[in-house]
Amino acid sequence: MSPPRPHFLVLTYPLQGHIAPALRLARRLLAVAPDVLVTFSTTEAAHRRLFPATPEEADGPNGGRLEFHPFSDGTEGGYGGGGGGSDAAEFSAYVSSFHAAGPRSVGDLLDALASSRRGRPPVTRVVYTLMLPWAAGVARARDIPSALFWIQPAVVLAVYHRYFHGHAGAVAELSRRGDPSLAVELPGLPPLPVGDLPTFLTESTDPGHYFHPIFLTFRDLFDALDRETPKATVLVNSCQELEARGALEAVVLHDVLTVGPVLPTGDYETSMFKPDDGAKYMEWLDTKPARSVVYVSFGSLATMGREQLDELLLGLEDSGRPYLLVVRKDNKQAMLAELAEVEMGGERLKSGVAVEWCDQARVLSHAAVGCFVTHCGWNSVAESVASGVPMVGVPKVSEQSMNAWLFEREWRTGVRARVDGGGVLRAAELRRCVEEVMGDGPAAAEARRMAEKWKRVVAEAMGSGGSSYCNLLAFVVDGATSST
């Protein structure tokens, strides 16, 4: 009897930073094996934002191999109950609803896919991202194997793993001392400044903290991994060549496979945010010399106050370099008249342009871009590395400081900016950092050289026969044989 056709259900939390790598992984699964089928699923509200048209219209080139079916998070408005996540009680209520309604809805989806009469075979493996600790149990109840897709680097996975396996006390003790430079000694890992550890482990452990529900979710996630037998499978959105020494060996309790970094493919990148097509930013980049443009984006969740915006614009203008600045549409709306002067073509923007959203991967791969000022989210860092662009890091929350540690200390492709006591990046510091990675000095030359090196490394890992390609292919083959 021949094995069933591989059919992966890819589940993700409804944030753009989770949706993007999950959808890219879905398309990578299709690319490495021609017989693979994928069903992609996020919450109903996020699904509506991703696909204002029908899914078939929104993602037509896959010949029916990739389908989209949402699951319920128990709310009408989706993430944050439609309130934008500004209230801690509201956010906690949303997370509770997500964890209560999600398992039931995903279970119903798996059952529906198993009884489909359209000729599509049942799901043979479930793949889920960080915020779904219940997904493995839902799959196990139906005798379906599962795998966690860790959308951050392996060194961050190793830190979480060590924290939840006997080292929480050591991290807490160093955090209480108030010196972010104190080194944490975690078995198998290089010494890490406690201030660079994920903020969910150093700040969100307090029950009164806004992100405490995220800390609890990570705790439940690692508990769920420990319950998997014989070993949980964890796919990591990185390649083994990029990882800090000891990172992969530090998670021996699980079967860890590096399969990334997964990147956009073709013209079919799907986003909850729509590019600012009217801005003509690609045409503007075409007019600029090679490696001359500073690209600035702080991600899909970042908010920017007036003081920070003023300092940012002042530093960019004073740098004397052309720049492309992403300012979120909802940030603009919140600040109304205060941000009117930032509209593209306004007198404040003498050397650059501002857009509400752009195709970041296309921007970073453009020859004119010479530096990326980033919040250090892993998707952004991975895209920058894959494009060979040096970085200026301005990390804020989650694992962003660890990502900055990687590119500054391990890869030497950038520098981390210092913010003041209020968390504001001042104009002079921005100007200094941009010059350090884009100027004529030896530091800038080294950053460019190393950026080109790591660009080649990522291309080789993701190419046919590379480490990440082979790991993903092995995962597909294992999924097919384990379901027979």
Side-chain angles (χ1 to χ4, degrees), residues 91-156:
F91 176 66
S92 181
Y94 174 75
V95 173
S96 295
S97 176
F98 180 87
H99 290 326
R104 294 192 297 268
S105 185
V106 168
D108 291 343
L109 175 59
L110 282 168
D111 294 340
L113 292 171
S115 62
S116 174
R117 297 179 180 178
R118 295 180 298 124
R120 197 171 175 88
V123 169
T124 58
R125 193 146 197 175
V126 172
V127 179
Y128 60 98
T129 59
L130 305 186
M131 291 289 290
L132 288 77
W134 38 262
V138 173
R140 187 168 55 249
R142 290 159 177 79
D143 294 321
I144 302 173
S146 64
L148 168 64
F149 181 36
W150 185 264
I151 58 175
Q152 299 168 353
V155 67
V156 179

Side-chain angles (χ1 to χ4, degrees), residues 430-446:
L430 174 60
R431 194 165 60 246
R432 180 191 71 82
C433 291
V434 168
E435 183 64 23
E436 185 166 339
V437 299
M438 291 188 72
D440 298 325
E446 174 71 356

Side-chain angles (χ1 to χ4, degrees), residues 24 92 102 110 117 207 214 236 254 260 302 333 393 400 431 437 450-452 456-457 465:
R24 292 171 186 178
S92 181
L110 282 168
R117 297 179 180 178
I214 305 298
V236 178
H254 311 311
Q333 291 173 338
Q400 293 169 8
R431 194 165 60 246
V437 299
M450 295 303 293
E452 285 297 322
R456 293 191 297 271
V457 166

Side-chain angles (χ1 to χ4, degrees), residues 179-248:
D179 182 353
S181 67
L182 291 174
V184 177
E185 300 281 351
L186 298 174
L189 295 175
L192 298 167
V194 68
D196 287 346
L197 298 187
T199 58
F200 298 144
L201 299 182
T202 58
E203 300 175 6
S204 304
T205 56
D206 183 346
H209 194 275
Y210 181 93
F211 287 120
H212 187 63
I214 305 298
F215 167 76
L216 296 178
T217 299
F218 273 103
R219 181 200 63 188
D220 293 345
L221 176 66
F222 279 84
D223 182 61
L225 291 175
D226 289 344
R227 290 199 303 271
E228 289 290 283
T229 55
K231 276 187 176 184
T233 298
V234 182
L235 308 178
V236 178
N237 189 22
S238 180
C239 62
Q240 61 192 38
E241 295 85 355
L242 278 178
E243 286 301 331
R245 57 191 183 279
L248 293 169

